[in-house]
Amino acid sequence: MRHDAVTLRQLRALRAVADSGSLTLAAAQLGLSPPAIHSQLKSLEDLAGAPLLQRAEHGAFRATAQGRALLMAEAQIATALARAGREVASLGQGHSGNVVLGVVSTGKYFAPFLVATLQRALPRIEVTLRIGNRDAILAALAADELDLAIMGRPPREPAVIAAPIGPHPHIIIAAPDHPLAAQDPVMPMDLLSQTFLSREEGSGTRILMTRFLDRIGEGTPWRATEMGTNETIKQAVIAGLGIALISQHTCTEELRTGRLVALQAIGLPIQRSWYLLHRADRAPSPATERIRAAIAGLGGSFLPRLEGRG
């Protein structure tokens, strides 16, 4: 049997005749003429190579064994189409779908908790999390690989629509026994005499550190050692290899337990915001819009907190 030549109209004609027992009733049900119904059945029987209906005792049509096999397939197709129709409607209303959320590396300390919160609230929307440094997230956004992104400073390119979703304080951390740990305040020249442990070029934290040190130093040179991750930086600071300007959200646990301290200096903490953004030239899908609204509605409650700070 050439199943690829079978049409839904043929199967529906077979279903209508088998259920009603009459060509005339089936034609009325489907809004066709009895000859049109007969033609659909004849074509389907030619494809099947067997009779699909037979007359019963009272003249009503009943399905043959071959007809019942096709009716079973028709029922499965009808169920699948109904399910697909509901899914299409759900996608259109934003109740289901897939949303790709990009988060800069500093956000990895809260991003998994945020995604878990979203999936509990909107279980039929799958949120795919992508984490990378600022340059990587911007490249993915420009390549249209992300639906939404969270970062500390909206870019100029690509053009985006951005909204603040919570505070993002930055501090300078040191080991508890560091000579500057007890000073209040730490003077600018004392800071500039230290070695700063820094993220790589392209990191938003690196950009902020450079601007801060250039501002307080007014051209005074300073030393920096580049390290690839916030975890490496924190461990290096604990070991006494230097100090670091870092997002407070990356080290709340170390500050709470006393493994790190936040230096007290004029201009610290640097108060910034986390931003949720999407490309200005792309209309968010309904699912994306629901996730965007859900994140905005959380009011930053998913961000790490340190009692008495930020």
Side-chain angles (χ1 to χ4, degrees):
M1 177 177 179
R2 287 190 52 207
H3 62 272
D4 59 325
V6 174
T7 68
L8 288 175
R9 284 190 175 186
Q10 293 168 345
L11 292 174
R12 286 169 180 159
L14 177 62
R15 169 64 66 187
V17 174
D19 286 351
S20 67
S22 165
L23 289 177
T24 302
L25 292 176
Q29 178 184 329
L30 297 179
L32 299 171
S33 66
I37 294 292
H38 183 271
S39 176
Q40 296 283 2
L41 292 174
K42 179 66 169 61
S43 297
L44 186 57
E45 287 185 332
D46 288 345
L47 290 171
L52 303 177
L53 295 165
Q54 61 186 5
R55 292 277 189 179
E57 292 181 3
H58 302 292
F61 285 103
R62 294 291 180 263
T64 63
Q66 295 89 337
R68 289 194 295 273
L70 284 174
L71 288 172
M72 184 178 298
E74 185 274 341
Q76 293 171 340
I77 292 170
T79 299
L81 287 175
R83 185 185 304 114
R86 291 192 297 271
E87 183 64 19
V88 168
S90 181
L91 287 166
Q93 296 166 3
H95 296 302
S96 64
N98 182 278
V99 175
V100 183
L101 173 64
V103 180
V104 293
S105 301
T106 303
K108 71 181 182 180
Y109 295 90
F110 63 79
F113 175 74
L114 171 60
V115 171
T117 300
L118 293 171
Q119 292 188 336
R120 285 193 296 270
L122 300 166
R124 295 187 61 193
I125 299 178
E126 181 180 353
V127 179
T128 301
L129 179 63
R130 288 185 56 177
I131 293 178
N133 69 16
R134 179 181 172 85
D135 281 352
I137 294 299
L138 289 180
L141 194 65
D144 207 19
E145 297 172 357
L146 303 177
D147 298 302
L148 295 169
I150 294 177
M151 60 181 57
R153 181 170 56 88
R156 292 188 177 90
E157 293 292 337
V160 299
I161 296 174
I165 55 172
H168 187 197
H170 286 71
I171 57 177
I172 293 180
I173 55 173
D177 58 352
H178 192 281
L180 299 183
Q183 290 191 27
D184 188 2
V186 178
M187 303 308 294
M189 294 311 296
D190 292 331
L191 288 176
L192 293 167
S193 68
Q194 302 297 312
T195 296
F196 275 80
L197 308 178
S198 166
R199 289 288 302 278
E200 73 282 0
E201 291 286 350
S203 161
T205 307
R206 170 74 169 262
I207 294 170
L208 187 61
M209 181 197 76
T210 300
R211 290 178 176 177
F212 176 74
L213 295 180
D214 286 346
R215 177 171 59 81
I216 67 170
E218 299 180 345
T220 301
W222 40 271
R223 299 188 305 275
T225 299
E226 184 175 300
M227 295 185 172
T229 69
N230 289 320
E231 289 302 315
T232 304
I233 288 174
K234 289 189 295 183
Q235 293 303 316
V237 171
I238 291 172
L241 296 181
I243 62 177
L245 190 149
I246 198 168
S247 165
Q248 181 179 298
H249 290 152
T250 68
C251 54
T252 53
E253 182 62 20
E254 291 85 357
L255 292 169
R256 186 184 66 80
T257 58
R259 286 180 290 163
L260 290 171
V261 297
L263 298 184
Q264 305 301 309
I266 296 173
L268 294 176
I270 302 173
Q271 296 293 352
R272 290 291 186 268
S273 294
W274 285 108
Y275 287 87
L276 177 64
L277 53 89
H278 61 85
R279 284 180 51 160
D281 60 346
R282 299 286 191 274
S285 69
T288 297
E289 179 56 30
R290 284 177 67 85
I291 292 295
R292 186 207 62 76
I295 294 175
L298 291 172
S301 61
F302 54 89
L303 296 171
R305 299 192 182 279
L306 180 66
E307 185 177 351
R309 295 187 180 274

